[in-house]
Amino acid sequence: MRIIIDIRKSPLLLYEVTDEILKMNIKCILDKDEVYGYLKKSHYLEILLDKTLCVYGEQMIEHYQTYLTDGSWVWSSDINHYFFNHNFALPKDFLEYIRTLNYIPKSYNESYDDFILDKIYDSRYRLNVDIMKRKKLTF
């Protein structure tokens, strides 16, 4: 499952991003390069050593079960590709958060990884969707 999760909230706020959503929710933004720079500076939380085909069929990209984090949000790593190359519209509250930090991620300590993983997983490799509030992407 491709995800974007706001882990600052309780319950956790989960956005499920399907292939259809990737293709439908397109929006150009003026600060695209700055937002992408922020996304690229994020930390790998969990890595699946596999690639997947872009839903547009053009190239192999990082698998959506590889997760990135900035310590406040967790997202599937292929979101970076769709945002930059196909103008996928990130959730408004995620964009607002990035902008409030002036596109500079807070310092991140890797010891925080286990805390985040425990927070989002029911048991290893299964998202605990029971403690997450699901929200449709609206743009």
Side-chain angles (χ1 to χ4, degrees):
M1 172 185 345
R2 189 178 293 109
I3 57 163
I4 301 173
I5 303 174
D6 184 349
I7 62 173
R8 300 169 300 156
K9 304 197 185 241
S10 182
L12 305 179
L13 182 56
L14 169 71
Y15 295 94
E16 290 183 64
V17 184
T18 63
D19 292 353
E20 293 77 30
I21 290 172
L22 285 173
K23 292 179 178 180
M24 290 178 1
N25 294 312
I26 306 299
K27 184 176 182 180
C28 293
I29 60 172
L30 295 176
D31 57 350
K32 178 179 175 178
D33 290 335
E34 292 86 353
V35 172
Y36 184 64
Y38 181 96
L39 296 175
K40 285 189 348 183
K41 292 176 192 163
S42 58
H43 171 75
Y44 280 94
L45 179 63
E46 193 161 74
I47 299 172
L48 178 65
L49 296 175
D50 197 4
K51 298 251 181 197
T52 191
L53 184 64
C54 170
V55 298
Y56 292 94
E58 72 200 34
Q59 68 187 54
M60 297 300 288
I61 60 174
E62 281 188 301
H63 199 278
Y64 58 85
Q65 286 182 319
T66 292
Y67 299 125
L68 299 169
T69 188
D70 62 358
S72 297
W73 289 80
V74 173
W75 63 96
S76 298
S77 64
D78 64 335
I79 296 291
N80 292 11
H81 166 82
Y82 293 112
F83 172 77
F84 188 74
N85 294 294
H86 305 289
N87 294 315
F88 170 68
L90 296 173
K92 288 179 187 177
D93 45 348
F94 189 20
L95 280 174
E96 288 171 10
Y97 177 77
I98 292 169
R99 290 171 177 147
T100 61
L101 295 176
N102 294 317
Y103 315 100
I104 302 167
K106 295 178 181 177
S107 61
Y108 185 83
N109 186 335
E110 289 184 22
S111 65
Y112 194 52
D113 287 358
D114 287 335
F115 172 76
I116 294 174
L117 291 171
D118 288 344
K119 198 169 185 178
I120 67 173
Y121 283 125
D122 183 8
S123 58
R124 207 74 174 142
Y125 303 112
R126 189 172 144 247
L127 285 175
N128 189 358
V129 294
D130 296 334
I131 64 162
M132 297 180 192
K133 177 182 171 190
R134 293 175 188 230
K135 187 170 180 183
K136 292 193 178 226
L137 288 175
T138 55
F139 308 94

